Amino acid sequence: MQTKNKKTKFRYVWNFPGFGGWTAIFFGFLYIPIFILVCYSFNSSKFAMIWTGFSFRWYAKLFSNDDIQTATINSFIVAFAAAPLATIIATFSALALVRGGEFRFREFSSGLITLPLMVPEIVTAVATLIFFASLGINLGLINVIIAHTVFCIPFAFMPIKAALEAMDPNLELAARDLYSDKTSTFKTITLPLLTPGILSGFMLAFVISIDDFIITLMVAGGGATTLPVYIYSMVKMGVSPEVNAVSSLMLAFSIFIVTLYWFFNRKIKN
Amino acid sequence: MMEKKVNAIDVRNVTKIYTSGNTQTKALKSANLTIYDNEFFTLLGPSGCGKTTLLRLIAGFEDITEGSINLFNQEIVNLPPNKRPVNTVFQQYSLFPHLNVYENVAFGLRRLKKDASLVESRTFEVLELVQMKEYANRKPNQLSGGQQQRVALARALAPEPKVLLLDEPLSALDLKLRQAMRFELKTLQRETGITFVFVTHDQEEALTMSDRIAVINEGEIQQIGEPEQIYESPSNKFVANFIGEANLLSGVCKTPGENGVCELDTGHELNLFVPPHIKQNDKVTIFIRPERIKIEKSSKDKSQLSISEFTYLGNAATIQLKSNNQLINVNLPIEDLKVFKKDDYVDIHFPKESAQVID
């Protein structure tokens, strides 16, 4: 019995000494700052770090701040333009790469699409800035939309590709066998089955676009400021409770979108 | 059986080569066969032998490398799958997961642009045929494997195909269900009168259901014939071994010709038909089924054959006889179970027509 106990002692990771404590520290480090930020957004004091009482004062102030509203609207315009565009491009890429049969550079192309995930964002940001500057493209918000579309493609691509790879290719063959031509097979079988994947790709692209800071900072000119860029400019003048409030709202929105993303992702697996 | 047979499918010199990178795999090598209308035809062979490839070529899921396939005398090689009047039952059923049973079955009819009333009546008709009518509103993932199997069958039968292709449809079912479905499939084929082309690696399935069987190995058709023909007179060693149990005994030809004589290495002489290409003193292989061999008691000085293994099976026994380097399998009928035991010396004899010289 003695030897058996020794063998099984470390079979599960939670049998290691201090596992629970370390886990608590780890999650605390990740989430306590965010939790405190959200708490202080309801602080009635005008000093960010001194708690005086509960109030919605800063949220009310946000909604009367025209600059924040413009920046928020800009962020949504960019996300609602860039995320669908990225999703459409990602869908066609995934279809070509997964269902397009064998062709040259297939593996290579697949890698090339997801490569931007590994490239440091600042590199992409500077490169995008130089690209627009050297071509003299200066269309304000359109520049931001173009940049966001490009870097959102890999994020939209991954869940769509995964959904397509999980789909039994015999389903499409079965439809073709049952007198369905290529177009109607795509419409009646492939697309409906791929919809959860496409939606989750869209959600991911949307969140990434809404949250992006570095690339937007480089690309956005005057009048094209998005919310994260505006928050940064507010922080430069000191952390006010208003910043806490607007950050909390962004957090709530992101959580909502990510929840939707997981919901659709689970649907793919069933 | 005197009526004139109509050719449903003619496969002529069909070759299929898969190319991936620099490697080429010959899945089918110049295959020829004819499947008659209203026939239950089975393609039988081990996995990777090319039987599924042939089925997919008929369905149109693969491009043919060489050769031609005719369906009721019409060339179909260049038609896409949706223009071929054949339907397929897939190994994993491949039911559309987002559609209910009714919509799955009606799919083909809708694509053929049939009248709404006809779609409905025909869909319920085939659902009735496979006893799945009360499940019409279920989604595929709410059905058991056997039920999904029936829906897959109904879906493929609904558009009234000229030929139904079945790709190992029973392999995902458990044993009891599989045996019941064999019977049902055979009945269904007889009732509908549709030509069935059935792919399997299970020789028992093939023998029990088929009108005719094509045995395939390594991309080549080894033998085509009725189940009895394939079992009783296999055309080569592969067929003999793949279907049922077989003894392949080595010996020497003493007298060639129609009333030839061969001597087994065990010392037994056999009178049997020797094919013309075999000459005197050629080495030959003799094929005989274990259940054809009769044994009787002998003694050490008369016979070199002794029982080396005795396996009791309840309703019979299989025994293995050993002599020099040869092992002979024999099925012992129930009434002889008590007569013989291990290490007994025995003598064997068998009817002339049940032994055969084989390549």
Side-chain angles (χ1 to χ4, degrees), chain B residues 310-319 330-337:
Chain B
F310 192 108
T311 313
Y312 177 70
L313 297 174
N315 60 354
T318 61
I319 59 176
V330 179
N331 289 0
L332 204 57
I334 190 158
E335 57 270 21
D336 285 351
L337 282 188

Side-chain angles (χ1 to χ4, degrees), chain B residues 89-119:
Chain B
V89 178
F90 290 84
Q91 189 170 5
Q92 300 299 333
Y93 320 137
S94 297
L95 297 174
F96 306 129
H98 58 306
L99 303 178
N100 66 18
V101 168
Y102 179 89
E103 287 301 322
N104 262 284
V105 176
F107 190 91
L109 295 166
R110 289 199 206 283
R111 294 297 123 203
L112 285 172
K113 306 245 170 4
K114 301 277 189 204
D115 286 346
S117 59
L118 188 104
V119 171

Side-chain angles (χ1 to χ4, degrees), chain A residues 18 24 26 29 32 70 82 102-103 105 202 225 245 252-253 262 268-269:
Chain A
F26 169 74
F29 190 75
I32 286 173
T70 316
E102 284 289 328
F103 55 87
F105 304 126
F202 171 77
T225 305
F253 183 73
W262 280 110
I268 302 172
K269 277 164 197 148

Side-chain angles (χ1 to χ4, degrees), chain B residues 286-303:
Chain B
I286 312 283
F287 153 85
I288 182 155
R289 295 284 179 199
E291 68 272 19
R292 293 291 184 186
I293 301 176
K294 299 273 174 284
I295 61 172
E296 60 185 32
K297 286 210 167 189
S298 184
S299 58
K300 193 172 181 178
D301 42 304
K302 283 193 208 146
S303 170

Side-chain angles (χ1 to χ4, degrees), chain B residues 32-175:
Chain B
N32 280 294
L33 61 86
T34 299
I35 298 167
Y36 299 118
D37 191 19
N38 209 352
E39 190 173 41
F40 197 121
F41 193 91
T42 299
L43 303 171
L44 174 67
S47 57
C49 72
K51 57 193 193 298
T52 296
T53 301
L54 182 54
L55 198 78
R56 290 171 70 90
L57 285 171
I58 297 172
F61 302 153
E62 309 268 359
D63 292 325
I64 201 164
T65 310
E66 239 172 72
S68 73
I69 300 173
N70 284 13
L71 186 76
F72 291 96
N73 296 320
Q74 189 209 346
E75 169 93 46
I76 56 166
V77 164
N78 295 318
L79 297 176
N82 51 316
K83 300 267 191 251
R84 300 186 187 196
V86 298
N87 290 132
T88 308
V89 178
F90 290 84
Q91 189 170 5
Q92 300 299 333
Y93 320 137
S94 297
L95 297 174
F96 306 129
H98 58 306
L99 303 178
N100 66 18
V101 168
Y102 179 89
E103 287 301 322
N104 262 284
V105 176
F107 190 91
L109 295 166
R110 289 199 206 283
R111 294 297 123 203
L112 285 172
K113 306 245 170 4
K114 301 277 189 204
D115 286 346
S117 59
L118 188 104
V119 171
E120 196 182 324
S121 62
R122 176 67 186 157
T123 302
F124 279 119
E125 190 188 326
V126 277
L127 279 176
E128 182 104 61
L129 194 66
V130 298
Q131 297 150 35
M132 286 296 292
K133 203 173 173 182
E134 58 270 47
Y135 297 94
N137 293 317
R138 297 267 190 102
K139 285 281 180 69
N141 62 9
Q142 296 169 306
L143 301 175
S144 70
Q147 291 169 332
Q148 291 186 37
Q149 169 68 75
R150 286 162 193 275
V151 177
L153 209 56
R155 183 177 71 174
L157 282 171
E160 298 179 72
K162 288 186 172 171
V163 175
L164 189 73
L165 308 172
L166 303 104
D167 185 10
E168 307 216 19
L170 306 184
S171 62
L173 302 177
D174 58 48
L175 184 68

Side-chain angles (χ1 to χ4, degrees), chain A residues 102 168 170-182 184-185 188-189 192-193 270, chain B residues 56 61 80-82 84-88 90 94-98 107-108 111-112 155 159:
Chain A
E102 284 289 328
D168 176 10
N170 279 340
L171 292 176
E172 283 146 330
L173 285 183
R176 300 275 281 128
D177 188 58
L178 292 162
Y179 313 107
S180 177
D181 58 28
K182 279 185 177 171
S184 73
T185 301
T188 56
I189 304 298
L193 289 173
N270 296 333
Chain B
R56 290 171 70 90
F61 302 153
N82 51 316
R84 300 186 187 196
V86 298
N87 290 132
T88 308
F90 290 84
S94 297
L95 297 174
F96 306 129
H98 58 306
F107 190 91
R111 294 297 123 203
L112 285 172
R155 183 177 71 174

Side-chain angles (χ1 to χ4, degrees), chain A residues 61-100:
Chain A
K61 203 180 167 199
L62 275 187
F63 287 102
S64 57
N65 182 334
D66 286 345
D67 287 345
I68 285 193
Q69 282 183 17
T70 316
T72 309
I73 290 166
N74 279 348
S75 272
F76 276 109
I77 290 172
V78 170
F80 272 114
L85 280 173
T87 308
I88 290 166
I89 295 168
T91 305
F92 284 117
S93 313
L95 282 170
L97 290 169
V98 180
R99 285 287 191 273

